[in-house]
Amino acid sequence: MTLRWTMSVALVAFGGAIASAETAIEAAFDYQLICCETPACCDEPSCGCEDPSCGCDDGCCGDNLCGDGCCGDACGDACGCGSACGLGGCSLGACCLGDPFTLKGHLDPCGCCPVDFGGWTQFGFHSDNARLSVTDNDGLAFNDNDDRLNLHQQWLWFEKVADGSCGLDWGFRADIMYGTDAAKTQAFGNDPGEWDFANGWDRGGGYGWAMPQLYGEVAYGDLSIIAGHFYTLIGYEVVTAPDNFFYSHALTMFNSEPFTHTGALATYSGLDNVELYAGWTAGWDTGFDDSLGGSSWLGGFSTNLTDDIAFTYISTAGNFGARSGGEDGYSHSLVFDVALSDDLNYVFQSDVVGYDANAVNGGIANDQVGINQYLFYTINDCWAAGGRMEWWKSDGSSFQALTMGLNYRPHANVVIRPEVRYDWTGSDAAAQFVGYNGQNDYENWSFGMDAVITF
């Protein structure tokens, strides 16, 4: 009861802070950047509440989010939007989020600018973390600055998508971020001093800068080609905070997958129910560099096996660069995404990595396999619950972790993600493999909670 009451107070307080922040943001951006002088979309007269064409077939209109209970309002008259459907009031089942605020929508309301842009802020706290090495030096996880409030990701992106549906088109993407996740997002497969790795981008205290994407794109019909620095296709979890359910990351994701590549990647979507990927990269986690002669294949496919099962296979093969110490290797990732019902989703992922590590050139563990299983239950647009069970083996040493968490959305732009996690291993030898005295020293429960605010 005490924990529930404490969490409720914390969430209410946080909701108030978010509301104040939203008001401040709107005041700060109280201007419009219009890319056209007299856009037709801006000349259309506003729709009056008496006009049935506004979307209310009975001619009545309420507020912009959910109406007043007579226009398909999910909350109804008893729970009008604004207060009752947010933090304070109604039952857990009532939820009216409305449309999220975006910088693009505010500064270019007509959508006349071809360049899209936005970002997010992620901050969080987590307790002692058994996944860290004994020196608190990277270890086995992203969250390696424990027992303090961290700004993990302050992110800004710019993008023009190449649309080949009407012929040849071009585009680009650029991402830049600051925070404690920067060291994990930099091109650490480079030689030091290249691109954003160890080149004055780290700022101390675990903080730094990174530029994980910078690429150009051309598209024609169903074929798209990007060239430059871009995220990997491998795996289920990703670096970008808004695209994950959990605050923490799986061991397999952090240890057995690349995060970024430099190279070229083609995507073809002209086949029925199949999307193909094929490209070349300068190894793993490189940024406009080919450390130790990195040169590898990246590709695979995604398809729907049934109406409820999506399957993705992605592989890499060749010289992974710094990751494999200049030696050749192979890896693949299998992801099955299964809709068990309208509200229940199951994901199975397995990764395999293998190569002959060259210790002289810094190659690291070369025999790794991971199996991750996820189960997500969507309560409504505001609430979801999830679990993750994982097993990861590296050179004969096995590790397991169980994570349970919630996603709470008090606002269309905000998600709060509390979680508890238990890490364990089956032997003292495995614990010593990652720098601990034994399995009792490694195993523990940890708690974490973060918030992600998109814009």
Side-chain angles (χ1 to χ4, degrees), residues 178-240:
Y178 174 80
T180 58
D181 284 1
K184 319 301 183 302
T185 311
Q186 293 172 352
F188 50 82
N190 280 0
D191 295 325
E194 298 293 332
W195 192 235
D196 57 4
F197 177 56
N199 192 23
W201 290 63
D202 293 330
R203 312 306 298 171
Y207 285 86
W209 292 87
M211 197 167 189
Q213 290 202 117
L214 182 64
Y215 64 79
E217 180 183 15
V218 293
Y220 183 82
D222 296 316
L223 179 65
S224 169
I225 300 175
I226 63 174
H229 187 47
F230 49 85
Y231 291 127
T232 189
L233 298 175
I234 297 173
Y236 176 69
E237 295 185 19
V238 293
V239 171
T240 50

Side-chain angles (χ1 to χ4, degrees), residues 6 17 21 37 72 79 101 111 116 136 143 161 166 208 221 271 279 307 327 353 364 367 375 393 444 446 452:
T6 302
E37 294 181 359
C79 297
F101 166 86
D116 198 5
D136 278 357
N143 300 345
V161 176
C166 295
L271 301 177
D307 290 341
E327 301 295 329
V353 183
I364 59 176
D367 176 19
L375 190 64
K393 186 180 78 169
N444 82 328
S446 60
V452 182

Side-chain angles (χ1 to χ4, degrees), residues 22 25-26 29 99-103 105-106 411-413 454-455:
E22 180 187 7
I25 290 174
E26 292 181 351
F29 291 101
D99 295 326
F101 166 86
T102 64
L103 283 178
H106 191 84
H411 187 279
N413 289 89
T454 59
F455 52 85

Side-chain angles (χ1 to χ4, degrees), residues 376-401:
F376 305 115
Y377 179 66
T378 300
I379 301 170
N380 57 27
D381 289 342
C382 293
W383 288 94
R388 176 181 61 202
M389 182 68 188
E390 54 179 308
W391 169 72
W392 176 68
K393 186 180 78 169
S394 179
D395 283 351
S397 297
S398 293
F399 304 86
Q400 297 83 33

Side-chain angles (χ1 to χ4, degrees), residues 281-295:
T281 71
W284 284 21
D285 299 300
T286 56
F288 301 99
D289 187 28
D290 60 348
S291 177
L292 300 176
S295 178

Side-chain angles (χ1 to χ4, degrees), residues 35-387:
C35 302
C36 45
E37 294 181 359
T38 57
C41 55
C42 293
D43 293 337
E44 296 177 359
S46 60
C47 190
C49 281
E50 68 282 353
D51 186 349
S53 66
C54 290
C56 301
D57 55 10
D58 56 0
C60 59
C61 295
D63 58 49
N64 292 330
L65 290 180
C66 302
D68 56 10
C70 61
C71 303
D73 177 13
C75 300
D77 291 324
C79 297
C81 293
S83 61
C85 295
L87 287 170
C90 272
S91 65
L92 189 64
C95 178
C96 299
L97 292 178
D99 295 326
F101 166 86
T102 64
L103 283 178
K104 169 70 173 179
H106 191 84
L107 300 180
D108 180 23
C110 301
C112 302
C113 288
V115 177
D116 198 5
F117 49 89
W120 60 85
T121 301
Q122 178 203 13
F123 57 91
F125 171 90
H126 55 90
S127 63
D128 293 339
N129 191 341
R131 293 159 291 146
L132 306 179
S133 69
V134 292
T135 58
D136 278 357
N137 182 20
D138 209 24
L140 302 177
F142 263 71
N143 300 345
D144 57 358
N145 295 281
D146 50 12
D147 293 325
R148 77 182 198 191
L149 184 65
N150 293 290
L151 173 62
H152 288 275
Q153 298 182 5
Q154 182 60 66
W155 206 287
L156 189 62
W157 56 266
F158 301 87
E159 180 180 48
K160 178 186 181 296
V161 176
D163 181 5
S165 60
C166 295
L168 185 66
D169 193 18
W170 66 275
F172 72 91
R173 171 85 183 206
D175 294 66
I176 189 167
M177 62 88 66
Y178 174 80
T180 58
D181 284 1
K184 319 301 183 302
T185 311
Q186 293 172 352
F188 50 82
N190 280 0
D191 295 325
E194 298 293 332
W195 192 235
D196 57 4
F197 177 56
N199 192 23
W201 290 63
D202 293 330
R203 312 306 298 171
Y207 285 86
W209 292 87
M211 197 167 189
Q213 290 202 117
L214 182 64
Y215 64 79
E217 180 183 15
V218 293
Y220 183 82
D222 296 316
L223 179 65
S224 169
I225 300 175
I226 63 174
H229 187 47
F230 49 85
Y231 291 127
T232 189
L233 298 175
I234 297 173
Y236 176 69
E237 295 185 19
V238 293
V239 171
T240 50
D243 301 314
N244 296 309
F245 184 91
F246 292 105
Y247 173 30
S248 66
H249 287 280
L251 298 172
T252 301
M253 180 266 191
F254 185 80
N255 294 280
S256 299
E257 298 174 1
F259 298 157
T260 62
H261 302 280
T262 297
L265 178 67
T267 301
Y268 181 70
S269 56
L271 301 177
D272 185 28
N273 197 36
V274 177
E275 192 163 73
L276 301 177
Y277 315 99
W280 169 88
T281 71
W284 284 21
D285 299 300
T286 56
F288 301 99
D289 187 28
D290 60 348
S291 177
L292 300 176
S295 178
S296 58
W297 148 273
L298 172 66
F301 66 91
S302 61
T303 185
N304 291 319
L305 300 180
T306 71
D307 290 341
D308 299 320
I309 303 176
F311 171 64
T312 301
Y313 166 83
I314 302 294
S315 66
T316 61
N319 182 349
F320 297 159
R323 169 67 192 219
S324 61
E327 301 295 329
D328 288 342
Y330 169 82
S331 78
H332 72 235
S333 175
L334 312 176
V335 179
F336 295 86
D337 195 329
V338 184
L340 299 176
S341 71
D342 290 341
D343 302 317
L344 193 62
N345 181 239
Y346 169 73
V347 176
F348 176 91
Q349 178 203 352
S350 177
D351 284 8
V352 172
V353 183
Y355 48 81
D356 293 326
N358 187 336
V360 174
N361 287 328
I364 59 176
N366 64 328
D367 176 19
Q368 298 181 344
V369 59
I371 295 177
N372 297 336
Q373 298 183 80
Y374 305 80
L375 190 64
F376 305 115
Y377 179 66
T378 300
I379 301 170
N380 57 27
D381 289 342
C382 293
W383 288 94

